[in-house]
Amino acid sequence: MVVLSELCKGSSSSSSNQAHGYDVFLNFRGADTRHGFTNHLYNALIHTNVTTFLDDEEIETEEDLKPELESAIRASRASVIVLSKNYATSTWCLDELVLILEQHKTCNHIVIPIFYHVEPTYVRKEKSSFGDAMAKHRQRMEAETDANKRSKLAQKMDSWNKALTEVADLKGNDVKDRLEVEFIDEIVKDIFRRLHISSRFPLPQLIGMEDSIKFVNSWLKDTSSHTTDILTVLGMGGIGKTSLTKYVYALHSYEFDTCSFIEDIGRKFDEKSNRMLDV
């Protein structure tokens, strides 16, 4: 017997009512970290079943942010911002940063800054490479002869300056003097903790159970009842009850404030005291 006792209808958090396409959006300067740190972080997140958006576009123009990037940010629960040496040279990185911080203020979007071999004070006060990059953006703005374009660039410059100050004031992680493998492991654990997905399982491969999965998903999404219901999955051993419930748990656990998966509940139950043993 398998009991889905924690995935209760009507108990999902209000912050998860809207659909999220991604757990994490990665904001980074491709030329600095795409083939190193950010790639390793992305692989670590994917390996642990954290749905992550990474833009695979190598060529960046001076045009506005691509609509698909805007959509990905809005569809993500959190963003990891990798602030590297040449981060501020990218107008796309800066535009993404502005939108990410807007989501942070209005939609409880979680922001995790990573100071990748840069000092937070350089970001906050626009010194060193950050100062050089912003100076070049300012020169381009001042050289613009089209009044409308110049006004638009001036507005962007103002929003970029504010965003850099804001992100530098957030609690971040500094890679300095640390092994990157250990550092990435800590970031992944922090993401799990802050997104409440620490118990998520990799999705098992299920064959011939589509109808059962559809039924359980429908039951979980049914909010017509305002009471706490329990769904019991019964059947002889070896037919896939545990695989089914693991699949459903992995698929939906992040939508709930609190959830648990207790395997082999019969063995863990103390019949004499009629209470659960430590699990």
Side-chain angles (χ1 to χ4, degrees):
M1 178 180 73
V2 179
V3 180
L4 296 178
S5 59
E6 294 293 338
L7 290 172
C8 300
K9 294 187 292 184
S11 65
S12 61
S13 65
S14 58
S15 63
S16 297
N17 285 339
Q18 62 178 12
H20 288 96
Y22 303 97
D23 291 318
V24 174
F25 179 92
L26 292 179
N27 167 251
F28 64 101
R29 183 67 174 106
D32 285 354
T33 66
R34 177 182 298 278
H35 301 295
F37 176 80
T38 299
N39 183 58
H40 298 322
L41 174 59
Y42 173 77
N43 287 332
L45 290 169
I46 293 298
H47 179 71
T48 51
N49 203 33
V50 177
T51 54
T52 307
F53 182 92
L54 179 145
D55 182 23
D56 59 4
E57 180 63 64
E58 291 282 357
I59 301 175
E60 179 180 330
T61 68
E62 293 182 353
E63 298 176 357
D64 291 337
L65 198 61
K66 294 187 297 182
E68 52 265 39
L69 293 177
E70 290 189 20
S71 297
I73 291 171
R74 297 184 192 279
S76 299
R77 303 172 63 204
S79 289
V80 174
I81 301 169
V82 184
L83 295 153
S84 56
K85 180 180 178 180
N86 296 300
Y87 178 92
T89 64
S90 166
T91 59
W92 279 4
C93 279
L94 294 169
D95 284 343
E96 288 176 3
L97 178 62
V98 171
L99 180 55
I100 287 168
L101 292 175
E102 287 178 1
Q103 293 294 105
H104 176 63
K105 295 174 184 175
T106 61
C107 302
N108 296 320
H109 187 92
I110 296 171
V111 178
I112 303 175
I114 304 296
F115 297 98
Y116 189 75
H117 299 299
V118 299
E119 297 292 335
T121 187
Y122 292 169
V123 180
R124 181 183 300 106
K125 298 182 178 180
E126 296 180 9
K127 292 184 176 181
S128 189
S129 60
F130 281 79
D132 294 340
M134 297 307 289
K136 289 182 180 179
H137 292 317
R138 192 171 297 106
Q139 290 173 2
R140 181 167 66 89
M141 176 197 69
E142 294 173 348
E144 179 57 62
T145 56
D146 185 294
N148 289 330
K149 290 183 178 180
R150 179 169 178 163
S151 176
K152 184 178 179 180
L153 283 171
Q155 292 175 5
K156 279 198 169 190
M157 284 287 301
D158 183 57
S159 65
W160 294 343
N161 291 331
K162 291 178 180 178
L164 288 172
T165 300
E166 289 178 21
V167 75
D169 287 337
L170 294 176
K171 182 180 179 181
N173 300 276
D174 193 341
V175 72
K176 184 173 60 176
D177 300 327
R178 305 181 63 186
L179 292 175
E180 286 195 2
V181 173
E182 295 178 358
F183 183 60
I184 287 173
D185 184 58
E186 287 187 14
I187 295 171
V188 172
K189 289 179 180 177
D190 186 40
I191 290 171
F192 271 40
R193 178 183 60 82
R194 297 177 70 173
L195 294 185
H196 306 292
I197 55 176
S198 57
S199 297
R200 184 181 294 180
F201 297 100
L203 291 178
Q205 295 295 319
L206 301 184
I207 300 174
M209 301 187 71
E210 293 81 7
D211 290 342
S212 296
I213 294 170
K214 184 178 179 180
F215 172 80
V216 177
N217 286 341
S218 176
W219 179 83
L220 285 171
K221 297 297 184 181
D222 180 9
T223 58
S224 60
S225 173
H226 298 290
T227 61
T228 298
D229 297 332
I230 297 177
L231 174 64
T232 303
V233 183
L234 295 171
M236 61 187 298
I239 63 172
K241 301 187 301 298
T242 300
S243 295
L244 171 63
T245 50
K246 274 189 175 182
Y247 185 95
V248 173
Y249 182 87
L251 204 60
H252 296 289
S253 59
Y254 75 90
E255 300 175 19
F256 298 83
D257 291 325
T258 304
C259 56
S260 300
F261 187 94
I262 305 174
E263 190 170 355
D264 197 3
I265 192 171
R267 183 179 58 82
K268 296 182 175 70
F269 194 86
D270 182 0
E271 295 180 353
K272 292 182 179 180
S273 61
N274 197 32
R275 63 179 176 79
M276 288 297 295
L277 295 169
D278 182 19
V279 293

